[in-house]
Each structure stands twice: as structure tokens, then as C-alpha cells.
Amino acid sequence: MKKQEFLNEISARLNGLPDEEIRRSIDYFSEMIDDRMEDGMSEEEAVEAAGSVDDAVNEILKDVPLTKVIKAKASTRRKLRAWEIVLLIIGSPIWFPLLLCFVILIWVIYIIIWAIVVCFWAVVLAFLVGGAGAVGIGILSLPRIPTALPALAIAAGLVLMGISLLLIGPMIKLSKVTGKLAKVIVLWIKSWFIGGKKNA
Amino acid sequence: MDIQIKRGLLDVCVLAAIKNKDSYGYQIIKDMKPYMQISESTLYPILRRLEEGGFLTVYSVEHNGRLRKYYRITKNGLRRLNEFTDEWKEIMQVYQFITRED
């Protein structure tokens, strides 16, 4: 691939980001390729060494806040024609709920992901607190209830606490996986707004 | 290497690469190469992050009829490097404890 092709492709895939952001990225990769060519590589080799367009776009998007991405996309780049405005207003009962629904949907997905994490930890905490409570009550009622019941409560409580401790390790792993999943989803949402037309 | 550790190390390595002398993107990659492989794509957000965090500043210099961006470490950046080496001194002590042979 030629340098200009590479840069054009990146810039097309970033379409929708603030111009300043796109220009910086292009300047950066352009400088890198030029430097490699000065170092003795051919143009094709230098572009090859710069890596894939996908990697470049992903890394650039990762560091741009989601709000900025959406804002950039929302501010239209050209003036609307009169009939377009009329159409927009007439159509607003349709597109507005749809847009709202879409935004809410993204939010819900995000909230659900974190709700799952909260759930995991609630379970661990519940086991721990429940277990500690059972042990406590067992000890307190030991002198008053002369049956095996308090001992049973203590034993059950200890088992519960044990389970909660055993759960901590897997829970940490699950939380990490969920965190990664959330990141992937955010990146995926960003790439929805940005570019759109993937150059083959 | 653990991804979290690598991420932290890369930031510090980039600062180390410009510690003694201002440098530019390709030079930074070349200087780091013997110690840590890093691609252009990976370096880009690191430089942005370090700039936004006030650890380095950027200026352009004309070179062969084009502009090249140079990166200069700031006081904050130097402090970050020092913190890193201090912390690793402690970690190395622990390492010696872990790998000691009785």
C-alpha cells in the first residue's frame, strides 16, 4: 500500500471525529512513514511497518472519550436545507422516540453489565454476612438453648463464610472479564458513530 | 507479560526515551526496540496520554521540508520517572526475597 492510501483510509475510518483529532493522527502516521523511508525503507515497506489500519484506528479511538465522539457526530457538517428542516420537524414524532430509545438502549446495556458485577459481589457479601450472622447467633444462644441447634447454626455459618471466601477468587476474575467486555462494547459503539463506511 | 504491567511500563519507557534528549516518534520506537517492542499504533495514544497528563510537551521542527514533532519531558515527567525507580527498588527487594535460596 502507498502512504497516501494508508492515510486516506485512516482518515475515512475516523470520519466523524473532530477535524483536529483526525489531522493529528494523520500527521503522526505520515511523519512515521516519512521517517522510515528516510531510514532506507521503500514506501511500501514503511507503510507495512506502520501496522494495519485497524490497529491504528482502534488505538486512536480508544483514547477519545465517547461523549466527544457522539458530539462530533451530532453536530452536522453542513447547513440543512429548508425542506430538510420541515421534514425533520414533521418526522420528529417518529425519529425522536427512536433516537431516545437507541440512547437508552446503549445505557441499559452498559448498566446491565455493571449490574452483573454488583450482583456477583452482592452474592459474596450475602454469604459472608449471613454466615457471620449465623455464627454470632449460634454463639449468643449457646448458653440459653441447651440443644444442638446453636452448634448447628455455628457450623452452618462457618460453611457459608467458607463458601464466600472461595467465591472471591472467581468473582474477581468474572469482574475483570466483565470490565473488558464493557470496554469492547464502548469501542464497538464508538466505531458505530465513527467512519461508517469501511474502505475495503 | 501482564497487560496492566506492560501498559504502565510503556509509559515510563517512553519518558525514559526522551529523558536526556528531546526525541521524535520514530526515534523513540528505535531507542526502545532492544528493550521493548512497540508499534506506531501503540505509541500514539501513549504520547497523547503523556501530553495530556503534563508529562511531556510537543513542538514541531522543520526537517527535510516537512514538520516533525519533537517531545520534551517536563518536570512532572521527570518526577514520574523518579517515582517509578523508587518503587522498583522496593519491588526488587521483594524479588530477591522471593527468589532467594536458603
Side-chain angles (χ1 to χ4, degrees):
Chain A
M1 207 193 305
K2 289 280 185 192
K3 175 184 156 195
Q4 204 49 50
E5 278 174 70
F6 181 76
L7 297 180
N8 285 346
E9 202 164 315
I10 290 183
S11 136
R13 292 274 297 277
L14 291 177
N15 180 26
L17 274 188
D19 290 340
E20 163 74 11
E21 204 75 44
I22 298 179
R23 204 179 42 77
R24 283 181 79 144
S25 322
I26 296 300
D27 283 351
Y28 172 84
F29 282 100
S30 163
E31 179 197 307
M32 282 292 182
I33 293 169
D34 285 341
D35 277 336
R36 277 191 199 273
M37 279 161 65
E38 238 169 65
D39 215 19
M41 280 188 188
S42 73
E43 188 171 341
E44 277 81 5
E45 282 170 341
V47 172
E48 175 101 23
S52 72
V53 173
D54 280 328
D55 283 348
V57 170
N58 273 344
E59 291 289 351
I60 295 164
L61 282 187
K62 238 187 242 169
D63 247 33
V64 182
L66 182 57
T67 46
K68 208 171 174 182
V69 171
I70 293 176
K71 222 188 272 166
K73 198 70 185 174
S75 61
T76 34
R77 281 153 178 260
R78 62 192 177 87
K79 283 229 170 91
L80 290 170
R81 291 189 196 92
W83 65 268
E84 283 176 318
I85 296 174
V86 172
L87 215 61
L88 269 177
I89 294 170
I90 295 174
S92 66
I94 300 172
W95 64 256
F96 186 71
L98 279 177
L99 181 73
L100 199 67
C101 181
F102 177 71
V103 171
I104 292 173
L105 201 69
I106 290 174
W107 257 110
V108 167
I109 292 173
Y110 207 68
I111 291 171
I112 286 175
I113 289 173
W114 290 109
I116 294 171
V117 174
V118 171
C119 269
F120 292 157
W121 290 102
V123 169
V124 174
L125 197 71
F127 270 109
L128 196 68
V129 172
V135 171
I137 287 172
I139 292 173
L140 283 178
S141 57
L142 205 51
R144 268 176 283 159
I145 307 173
T147 58
L149 220 53
L152 195 67
I154 294 174
L158 286 175
V159 169
L160 283 179
M161 286 166 82
I163 292 174
S164 82
L165 292 183
L166 284 177
L167 280 176
I168 286 179
M171 286 307 170
I172 290 175
K173 261 202 195 122
L174 267 175
S175 308
K176 272 190 189 157
V177 170
T178 319
K180 261 184 212 151
L181 192 70
K183 257 189 209 156
V184 170
I185 288 180
V186 170
L187 198 64
W188 174 69
I189 294 172
K190 278 184 193 170
S191 64
W192 255 29
F193 282 96
I194 293 307
K197 39 186 175 192
K198 241 187 186 183
N199 288 7
Chain B
M1 207 186 292
D2 183 82
I3 199 109
Q4 233 28 47
I5 294 183
K6 190 162 182 190
R7 204 182 132 104
L9 275 180
L10 281 175
D11 284 18
V12 181
C13 281
V14 171
L15 286 177
I18 58 171
K19 181 175 70 170
N20 296 324
K21 209 170 130 218
D22 297 358
S23 186
Y24 54 94
Y26 183 46
Q27 187 64 43
I28 294 175
I29 289 182
K30 273 203 294 191
D31 288 344
M32 279 172 70
K33 203 171 181 183
Y35 310 98
M36 222 174 193
Q37 294 270 8
I38 181 173
S39 70
E40 268 110 313
S41 309
T42 327
L43 181 63
Y44 181 73
I46 296 175
L47 287 170
R48 288 293 307 264
R49 206 161 52 228
L50 289 174
E51 187 193 349
E52 263 153 39
F55 299 109
L56 56 80
T57 55
V58 188
Y59 60 94
S60 293
V61 171
E62 197 177 324
H63 170 83
N64 277 357
R66 60 188 170 90
L67 285 180
R68 194 191 247 164
K69 275 187 177 166
Y70 274 79
Y71 304 92
R72 172 183 291 153
I73 196 163
T74 62
K75 251 186 212 151
N76 259 338
L78 287 169
R79 195 178 312 136
R80 169 104 181 254
L81 274 179
N82 282 333
E83 279 166 12
F84 177 84
T85 39
D86 287 347
E87 199 180 349
W88 272 81
K89 267 178 212 148
E90 282 172 45
I91 292 176
M92 286 314 287
Q93 281 170 1
V94 179
Y95 173 82
Q96 266 155 23
F97 170 70
I98 292 168
T99 56
R100 78 190 185 287
E101 289 173 31
D102 287 317

